Amino acid sequence: MKTYKNLYKKLADIEFIKNSIKDAARHKTKRKAVAKVLDDLDRYSADLQKMLLDGAFKPTKVPTMVRWDSCSKKYREINPPVFYPDQCVHWVLINLTKDIFMKGMYRWNCGNVPGRGTSCGVVYVKKVLEKYPKKTKYCLYMDIHHYYQSIDHDKLIGMLKRKISDKKITDLFEKIIKSNDDGLPLGNYTSQWLANFYLQEFDHLMKEKWGADFYCRNVDDMVVIGSNKRKLHRIRKNVQKYLAGLGLELKPNYQVYRVDVRGIDYLGCRFYHDHTSMRKRNYLKLTRNARKARNEQSILGEVKFHTACGLISRNGIIKQCNHHEIFKNNIGDKLMGECKKSVIKESKKNSINLCERKGET
């Protein structure tokens, strides 16, 4: 396995630090803590560089917050880090190592990966069902129990050290990982990359050793599609055994079933061989979102930014499904045009504010 070293030298480039801070600040420029750093970017970049080169960074302890996740219908414990220095350090670290993580990543791992959102997984599942109907009779659905909280610190750090031979980088990762008592904290930018990296070898075993014909993973949600039910059960047993070695546990609600009978309920859609439909709860959210956007347009003369973003996002799901009539009946080209205007207007406003902070005209 190829290892990588001398990554820490990049920190001598102050522009790299500045760009990482700007990346961390994206979509947060209105927050006071973020604006304070951007207003004096040169000083904060120099201080952060010195902190990293001297090895003086120590993760800030933050209280755990409990938030309701409307998508999964459950409460989640999150630990949102402070912007400076923690979030900035996380972005510096990931910008240093992102290409390394991407090189060994399975192509159809579509969770928390730039350019591979849920639409990437939707396209893959649709394609294999339509192209290989005889090879995709059955589906195995699996989910890992409390994935982030169950990741073993020592095993993860060992994997990083085998991949990255730059001790300063691995020590920095170790500080961030071990700042949390159990597993990886939800809220850290590093957590989503490390969570994918933890199952990198698992993805390759699934395809190359266990013989999964068609396999897609979205963080801890997995589907394996094949023509033989017994083979899928054998794969499931291999998965359980391997995950146990990583300190992980497969949820007991795994399922093996015929695709034509139930369809594959995954990534917000329900897939069949001849069509793809939207989940019922997503359709209800879409209709409410569209109603709210129409009301804002009629009363305020424009659609609010957050409402527009939500509707544009849900329209992306419609495009992946066989639901052209839903777009026509609930949204329409005129309302979608107003949503896009709202997003463009907000983007221009943020660009102007950022230029003013940097003293540009």
Side-chain angles (χ1 to χ4, degrees):
M1 179 174 68
K2 183 178 179 180
T3 59
Y4 300 82
K5 54 186 177 180
N6 299 325
L7 299 172
Y8 223 68
K9 290 181 179 179
K10 282 190 178 180
L11 296 181
D13 182 6
I14 194 66
E15 288 301 318
F16 177 79
I17 303 290
K18 286 182 180 179
N19 289 332
S20 296
I21 292 175
K22 290 175 186 175
D23 289 339
R26 195 177 297 132
H27 307 305
K28 307 171 191 171
T29 54
K30 291 182 180 179
R31 300 180 188 178
K32 290 182 180 179
V34 178
K36 180 182 176 182
V37 174
L38 293 177
D39 288 339
D40 197 1
L41 187 59
D42 291 337
R43 181 174 71 83
Y44 279 101
S45 299
D47 289 347
L48 186 64
Q49 184 187 47
K50 186 176 185 303
M51 185 190 302
L52 291 171
L53 291 174
D54 294 345
F57 169 71
K58 290 183 180 180
T60 308
K61 282 286 184 182
V62 293
T64 300
M65 302 171 63
V66 178
R67 294 281 177 85
W68 174 253
D69 185 349
S70 58
C71 293
S72 58
K73 302 294 181 183
K74 60 184 176 183
Y75 288 98
R76 294 190 184 275
E77 292 184 353
I78 63 171
N79 301 80
V82 296
F83 179 73
Y84 186 89
D86 292 63
Q87 288 188 38
C88 296
V89 170
H90 296 171
W91 276 85
V92 168
L93 192 54
I94 294 302
N95 284 347
L96 276 171
T97 56
K98 185 187 299 182
D99 291 341
I100 298 172
F101 292 139
M102 291 292 291
K103 280 181 182 177
M105 192 176 289
Y106 172 58
R107 174 64 184 89
W108 301 111
N109 167 23
C110 57
N112 298 330
V113 183
R116 295 193 203 172
T118 54
S119 60
C120 174
V122 170
V123 168
Y124 173 70
V125 177
K126 280 179 62 177
K127 180 181 177 181
V128 299
L129 288 178
E130 291 172 2
K131 193 172 182 180
Y132 307 103
K134 292 183 179 179
K135 295 181 180 180
T136 55
K137 292 180 179 179
Y138 297 96
C139 172
L140 165 63
Y141 172 79
M142 298 175 287
D143 190 7
I144 300 173
H145 181 67
H146 288 165
Y147 177 50
Y148 278 83
Q149 299 95 314
S150 303
I151 291 175
D152 186 285
H153 288 174
D154 294 331
K155 286 185 172 66
L156 175 58
I157 293 165
M159 290 178 183
L160 287 168
K161 287 181 177 178
R162 288 194 295 273
K163 190 78 171 178
I164 302 171
S165 57
D166 190 320
K167 189 175 185 304
K168 290 183 177 180
I169 292 291
T170 54
D171 286 349
L172 188 53
F173 267 121
E174 188 170 352
K175 282 182 182 179
I176 295 170
I177 292 167
K178 291 197 170 182
S179 65
N180 199 55
D181 295 333
D182 298 306
L184 297 176
L186 292 173
N188 280 13
Y189 182 54
T190 52
S191 293
Q192 60 196 56
W193 285 92
L194 293 173
N196 275 327
F197 176 70
Y198 198 58
L199 291 180
Q200 201 171 90
E201 183 183 0
F202 169 83
D203 291 334
H204 291 285
L205 287 171
M206 182 73 82
K207 291 292 293 182
E208 296 161 17
K209 186 176 180 180
W210 303 333
D213 295 323
F214 307 104
Y215 162 63
C216 182
R217 179 168 70 85
N218 180 37
V219 190
D220 59 344
D221 288 346
M222 299 164 274
V223 291
V224 185
I225 312 170
S227 59
N228 190 301
K229 186 185 281 190
R230 290 182 181 177
K231 183 179 178 180
L232 292 180
H233 279 293
R234 283 198 300 270
I235 289 173
R236 189 258 307 164
K237 289 176 182 177
N238 288 327
V239 168
Q240 285 180 314
K241 186 177 179 180
Y242 180 84
L243 292 180
L246 290 179
L248 302 174
E249 179 187 355
L250 202 63
K251 283 185 180 178
N253 66 344
Y254 66 84
Q255 302 173 53
V256 177
Y257 54 88
R258 287 190 68 95
V259 174
D260 286 334
V261 175
R262 291 174 48 186
I264 302 173
D265 191 354
Y266 190 56
L267 300 174
C269 300
R270 192 175 288 275
F271 302 90
Y272 298 88
H273 284 109
D274 57 351
H275 72 283
T276 302
S277 61
M278 187 186 294
R279 273 184 188 159
K280 185 177 180 180
R281 70 182 183 207
N282 286 344
Y283 172 70
L284 293 174
K285 287 179 181 178
L286 169 74
T287 55
R288 294 187 191 113
N289 204 175
R291 193 182 308 120
K292 184 178 179 182
R294 284 195 297 271
N295 290 339
E296 289 175 357
Q297 174 62 26
S298 61
I299 297 171
L300 303 175
E302 63 177 5
V303 181
K304 290 183 179 179
F305 174 69
H306 290 293
T307 307
C309 287
L311 197 57
I312 290 172
S313 176
R314 297 190 192 286
N315 184 48
I317 299 176
I318 291 178
K319 288 181 179 179
Q320 300 294 345
C321 303
N322 303 95
H323 287 321
H324 301 295
E325 75 286 351
I326 289 180
F327 174 81
K328 184 178 178 181
N329 296 336
N330 291 279
I331 305 174
D333 293 327
K334 185 176 180 180
L335 183 60
M336 185 51 57
E338 293 298 325
C339 290
K340 289 178 180 178
K341 283 182 185 177
S342 175
V343 172
I344 292 169
K345 181 180 177 182
E346 186 70 18
S347 299
K348 286 181 178 178
K349 191 189 299 181
N350 289 337
S351 299
I352 292 169
N353 290 339
L354 188 59
C355 289
E356 288 175 350
R357 288 197 182 96
K358 290 163 61 179
E360 296 176 0
T361 57

